[in-house]
């Protein structure tokens, strides 16, 4: 974080702007919206600045900047802006302001700024400020434009409406947790739409009726959300998963949950790591289930975050059974499975009319030191096989599949760190699979795709490049992380 974002109260406080041109007028107009008193120091004024002075009654001193840090004008200044086309003058303004410990902004000179002017989306009293640290103003303008389109124009009106009931709700719900949950649930109700439509009386009635539901012991009842965090790319988290993360008091997460997803949690939420990997289970599964029940019974909303989908080799079914037996409220939010994410970002369709009419998912993880699978059912024409957690047992998988009749030359893709910038796709054949799997990073998740659909990757990548449509298949930065092992079957 290059700059710490703050919001200054400048109402009726003195702001000095040095410069009278077009750029200075834009800064003065923006700051003027905060209710600040403004003094403009400039020997000449642009028409825009002159109009601002007349419109808002700003003080104008028709003189050049004198460059004296003892200038009494600075005695009452809370902010100083330098926006002239003379670098020496701007540097002088900076020196004088810094010497007096006054926040100063020199337009287009980040090195001379103790604060910067952000891009602003104004839905007063809701104000969103964004900054790139001076690195990319054009990107900021695009982001602001997108937010302007996304945010309802009545958002400020909604904030004002809710503010009128703040004291009423605080009196009725003195418990902080109950009060927070009330506001969270209210914003997910029909009340905001009623306010946007100008039906404040109906919205008020709905709000008051809702308060009683949050009084007493009922609100203390907790719940558990089983949320699939997706295969690695944080943007693959579902909207519902993201919304529930913002409501959770406690977040219990696995090793494969992306950092970007954790950053979407409510900042006040308690984060508990219970990650497991082959041969290393610091928190046994039984303890995780007991923890979910205990935290929910204490009145917490608990988000249980799992990589991929909780019901696809995620042991979500076991945890759900614990919640049902304990009579704990729950909600399951599916996630994009690692199989779907890995295949899509690798450019490999799991099914294809000419290659595979079915796909089956298999675990490559031993249980009780055994990998008991229905190997014979895998050797079926027109089927794609996907193995999860298979890296340590790649040789066993190869031997069993060949022994049961699958051709050693069957195409295989070894995908590690799927959907992340570290993604790597190794195309090989079944008899060379053990070496290809062993060459992957043991700290990264690995998924195997076995079948002739793997051969389609080369055609899809070529087509995407030719048509300049790579992003429609998978992110361009992931395509380059491709290699082959042994005799590639293309």
């Amino acid at each position: 974080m290059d700059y710490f974002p703050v919001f200054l109260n400048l109402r009726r406080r003195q702001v000095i702007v040095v410069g009278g041109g077009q750029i200075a007028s834009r800064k003065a107009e923006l700051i003027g919206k905060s209710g600040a008193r403004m003094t403009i120091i400039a020997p000449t004024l642009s028409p825009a600045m002159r109009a601002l002075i007349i419109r808002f009654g700003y003080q104008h001193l028709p003189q050049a900047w004198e460059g004296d840090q003892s200038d009494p004008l600075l005695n009452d200044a809370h902010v100083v802006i330098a926006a002239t086309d003379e670098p020496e003058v701007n540097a002088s303004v900076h020196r004088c302001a810094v010497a007096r410990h006054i926040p100063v902004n020199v337009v287009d000179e980040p090195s001379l700024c103790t604060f910067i002017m952000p891009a602003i989306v104004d839905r007063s009293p809701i104000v969103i400020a964004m900054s790139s640290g001076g690195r990319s103003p054009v990107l900021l303008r695009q982001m602001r434009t997108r937010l302007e389109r996304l945010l309802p124009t009545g958002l400020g009106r909604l904030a004002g409406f809710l503010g009128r009931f703040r004291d009423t709700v605080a009196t009725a719900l003195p418990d902080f947790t109950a009060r927070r949950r009330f506001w969270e649930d209210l914003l997910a109700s029909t009340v905001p739409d009623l306010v946007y439509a100008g039906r404040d009386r109906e919205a008020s009635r709905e709000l008051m009726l809702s308060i009683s539901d949050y009084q007493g012991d009922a609100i203390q009842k907790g719940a558990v959300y089983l949320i699939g965090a997706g295969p690695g790319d944080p943007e693959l988290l579902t909207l519902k998963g993201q919304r529930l993360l913002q409501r959770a008091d406690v977040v219990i997460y696995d090793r494969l949950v992306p950092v970007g997803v954790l950053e979407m949690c409510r900042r006040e939420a308690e984060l508990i790591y219970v990650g497991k990997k082959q041969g290393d289970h610091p928190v046994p599964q039984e303890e995780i289930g007991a923890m979910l029940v205990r935290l929910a019974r204490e009145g917490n909303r608990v988000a249980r975050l799992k990589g991929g989908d909780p019901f696809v080799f995620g042991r979500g079914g076991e945890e759900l059974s614990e919640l049902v037996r304990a009579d704990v409220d729950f909600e399951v939010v599916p996630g994009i499975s690692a199989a779907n994410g890995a295949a899509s970002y690798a450019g490999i369709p799991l099914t294809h009319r000419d290659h595979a009419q079915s796909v089956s998912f298999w675990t490559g993880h031993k249980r009780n030191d055994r990998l008991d699978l229905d190997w014979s059912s895998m050797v079926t024409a027109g089927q794609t096989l996907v193995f999860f957690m298979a890296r340590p047992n790649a040789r066993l998988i190869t031997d069993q599949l060949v022994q049961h009749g699958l051709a050693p030359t069957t195409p295989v893709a070894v995908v590690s760190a799927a959907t992340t910038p570290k993604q790597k796709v190794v195309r090989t054949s079944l008899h060379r699979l053990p070496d290809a799997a062993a060459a992957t990073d043991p700290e990264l998740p690995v998924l195997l795709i076995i079948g002739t659909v793997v051969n389609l990757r080369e055609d899809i990548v070529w087509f995407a490049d030719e048509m300049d449509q790579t992003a429609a298949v998978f992110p361009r930065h992931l395509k380059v992380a491709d290699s082959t092992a042994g005799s590639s079957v293309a």
Side-chain angles (χ1 to χ4, degrees):
M1 186 184 295
D2 296 329
Y3 293 87
F4 186 78
V6 296
F7 286 82
L8 294 176
N9 180 3
L10 294 178
R11 187 165 300 279
R12 293 186 294 276
R13 290 177 168 85
Q14 176 77 301
V15 174
I16 294 177
V17 176
V18 181
Q22 189 73 27
I23 294 176
S25 70
R26 289 202 295 267
K27 302 299 181 184
E29 182 176 17
L30 183 60
I31 294 177
K33 292 181 179 180
S34 68
R37 292 187 291 113
M38 197 88 62
T39 297
I40 313 298
I41 302 176
T44 59
L45 299 175
S46 67
M49 182 64 89
R50 193 179 303 278
L52 277 179
I53 291 173
I54 295 172
R55 177 182 170 190
F56 293 107
Y58 297 156
Q59 181 183 13
H60 174 220
L61 300 181
Q63 63 191 48
W65 170 257
E66 296 179 355
D68 183 359
Q69 68 183 56
S70 64
D71 192 324
L73 275 173
L74 297 176
N75 290 345
D76 193 33
H78 281 71
V79 168
V80 175
I81 306 290
T84 77
D85 55 5
E86 301 178 50
E88 299 82 3
V89 172
N90 291 339
S92 173
V93 174
H94 169 262
R95 285 194 301 271
C96 293
V98 168
R100 299 285 293 270
H101 305 290
I102 303 170
V104 59
N105 175 274
V106 178
V107 176
D108 291 334
E109 286 288 347
S111 63
L112 298 181
C113 295
T114 61
F115 77 95
I116 55 177
M117 302 280 279
I120 292 174
V121 177
D122 189 359
R123 296 286 192 274
S124 293
I126 302 295
V127 178
I128 300 173
M130 299 173 290
S131 167
S132 67
R135 291 177 177 83
S136 182
V138 174
L139 175 61
L140 272 184
R141 285 200 297 271
Q142 289 185 350
M143 291 175 59
R144 182 179 62 188
T145 299
R146 291 180 184 180
L147 284 175
E148 290 279 9
R149 290 198 300 262
L150 288 173
L151 297 177
T153 56
L155 191 62
R157 189 170 182 279
L158 174 62
F161 171 86
L162 298 177
R164 295 198 296 273
F165 290 90
R166 188 172 181 180
D167 291 341
T168 301
V169 174
T171 301
L173 303 174
D175 179 74
F176 173 78
T177 299
R179 195 161 60 249
R180 175 176 59 79
R181 291 182 179 179
F182 168 81
W183 289 119
E184 288 174 348
D185 292 343
L186 187 80
L187 288 172
S189 70
T190 59
V191 168
D193 289 332
L194 290 172
V195 175
Y196 293 148
R199 296 157 62 183
D200 289 20
R201 182 174 299 179
E202 294 175 59
S204 300
R205 185 166 57 250
E206 290 291 330
L207 186 149
M208 296 303 296
L209 289 173
S210 298
I211 290 177
S212 60
D213 295 335
Y214 291 81
Q215 294 174 316
D217 297 331
I219 192 59
Q220 300 303 320
K221 189 175 182 181
V224 175
Y225 313 129
L226 293 177
I227 301 174
D233 184 345
E235 292 188 350
L236 295 181
L237 178 70
T238 64
L239 290 173
K240 187 171 187 178
Q242 183 177 4
R243 177 172 59 80
L244 292 180
L245 281 182
Q246 282 293 309
R247 300 177 65 182
D249 305 297
V250 183
V251 178
I252 300 176
Y253 66 101
D254 284 347
R255 183 173 69 93
L256 299 181
V257 172
V259 173
V261 170
L262 292 177
E263 291 175 349
M264 298 178 190
C265 299
R266 193 167 59 88
R267 292 196 180 277
E268 298 81 6
E270 179 185 1
L271 302 184
I272 301 176
Y273 175 71
V274 294
K276 299 186 288 286
K277 61 181 178 180
Q278 187 95 4
D280 182 15
H281 296 187
V283 183
Q285 185 63 39
E286 294 76 15
E287 290 187 22
I288 295 175
M291 186 188 306
L292 293 174
V293 172
R294 174 178 58 80
L295 289 170
R297 283 177 171 170
E298 290 174 356
N300 296 291
R301 289 173 171 172
V302 185
R304 176 65 172 110
L305 267 178
K306 293 175 171 290
D309 182 273
F311 283 2
V312 180
F313 301 118
R315 306 190 74 168
E318 298 173 43
E319 294 175 7
L320 184 59
S321 295
E322 289 283 336
L323 300 175
V324 171
R325 283 195 294 269
D327 193 27
V328 171
D329 288 346
F330 65 86
E331 190 165 354
V332 179
V333 182
I336 294 178
S337 167
N340 299 104
S344 298
Y345 277 52
I348 300 173
L350 292 177
T351 61
H352 189 281
R353 185 171 57 181
D354 299 328
H355 292 265
Q357 291 74 50
S358 66
V359 57
S360 57
F361 297 159
W362 302 88
T363 179
H365 179 67
K366 287 183 177 180
R367 183 177 184 182
N368 299 326
D369 205 33
R370 295 175 61 86
L371 190 60
D372 292 325
L373 302 176
D374 186 2
W375 301 102
S376 59
S377 69
M378 301 181 197
V379 187
T380 303
Q383 180 179 204
T384 301
L385 307 177
V386 178
F387 280 86
F388 292 69
M389 304 169 288
R391 184 186 184 279
N393 299 309
R395 186 168 297 279
L396 171 60
I397 292 170
T398 296
D399 291 344
Q400 287 292 333
L401 289 176
V402 171
Q403 179 180 329
H404 283 80
L406 198 62
T409 55
T410 301
V412 177
V414 181
V415 186
S416 58
T419 77
T420 75
K422 293 183 178 180
Q423 175 177 300
K424 185 176 181 181
V425 183
V426 176
R427 289 192 305 119
T428 185
S429 51
L430 184 59
H431 69 291
R432 294 184 180 272
L433 169 59
D435 293 336
T440 61
D441 186 338
E443 295 299 316
L444 297 177
V446 172
L447 185 136
L448 309 180
I449 303 175
I450 303 174
T452 58
V453 290
V454 172
N455 288 343
L456 296 172
R457 170 177 165 81
E458 185 172 84
D459 294 337
I460 290 174
V461 172
W462 174 85
F463 176 78
D465 283 342
E466 287 293 307
M467 301 299 292
D468 194 25
Q469 294 292 321
T470 310
V473 183
F474 39 81
R476 184 174 292 276
H477 71 278
L478 298 183
K479 181 186 76 65
V480 297
D482 184 43
S483 62
T484 57
S487 56
S488 174
V489 281

